[in-house]
Amino acid sequence: QVQVVESGGGLVQAGGSLRLSCTASGLIFDDLTMGWFRQAPGKEREGVSCISWSGSSTRYGDSVKGRFTISRDNAKNTLYLQMNQLKPEDTAMYYCAAVKNKGSWCYDSQYEYDYWGQGTQVTVSS
């Protein structure tokens, strides 16, 4: 049984930082390309960042470039999203997603991913 589980969300003031984590059980973690997505109320889900299975390739959405950093520790079967300089507009439910792919690239489209977590809420107050 595949389970993708996010953690680390919470309430933070603007300018602060949070680190999200994601684990994927039931799958071989280093077979997976991973991504972070977010969805704010009344808005469509958008891509935040993605990372290849080895960590050698990453991509970021324009709104988070220079503030967020994606990383992974395959030995710990864990994906991270370090979020710095948070803004109120970063407020959203953040989702972790996975797809089996050992290519040297990652996908920024949600439609490429097969496995999803339930999400973790990030709220940034002004």
Side-chain angles (χ1 to χ4, degrees):
Q1 183 179 356
V2 176
Q3 271 197 318
V4 178
V5 180
E6 306 93 337
S7 61
L11 173 64
V12 64
Q13 287 189 332
S17 298
L18 280 175
R19 188 175 80 158
L20 306 184
S21 298
C22 170
T23 60
S25 60
L27 298 166
I28 299 173
F29 192 76
D30 59 5
D31 280 351
L32 303 174
T33 291
M34 304 292 294
W36 286 103
F37 295 82
R38 68 186 182 185
Q39 188 167 21
K43 295 189 177 181
E44 293 187 356
R45 187 175 295 185
E46 66 169 337
V48 175
S49 185
C50 67
I51 188 167
S52 61
W53 73 273
S54 66
S56 63
S57 177
T58 59
R59 301 181 70 171
Y60 295 92
D62 288 342
S63 61
V64 306
K65 280 180 184 175
R67 300 188 297 122
F68 290 11
T69 303
I70 192 170
S71 63
R72 63 190 296 161
D73 185 338
N74 287 350
K76 295 183 178 180
N77 294 343
T78 304
L79 173 74
Y80 302 100
L81 184 69
Q82 179 66 44
M83 305 186 295
N84 297 330
Q85 301 171 49
L86 282 161
K87 304 176 181 180
E89 50 264 44
D90 294 317
T91 295
M93 186 71 78
Y94 282 71
Y95 297 93
C96 174
V99 61
K100 293 180 183 178
N101 173 43
K102 293 209 74 167
S104 59
W105 62 90
C106 66
Y107 303 110
D108 52 14
S109 168
Q110 60 179 307
Y111 301 107
E112 300 289 349
Y113 291 85
D114 295 322
Y115 307 100
W116 290 83
Q118 293 299 305
T120 187
Q121 178 68 38
V122 172
T123 303
V124 184
S125 63
S126 56

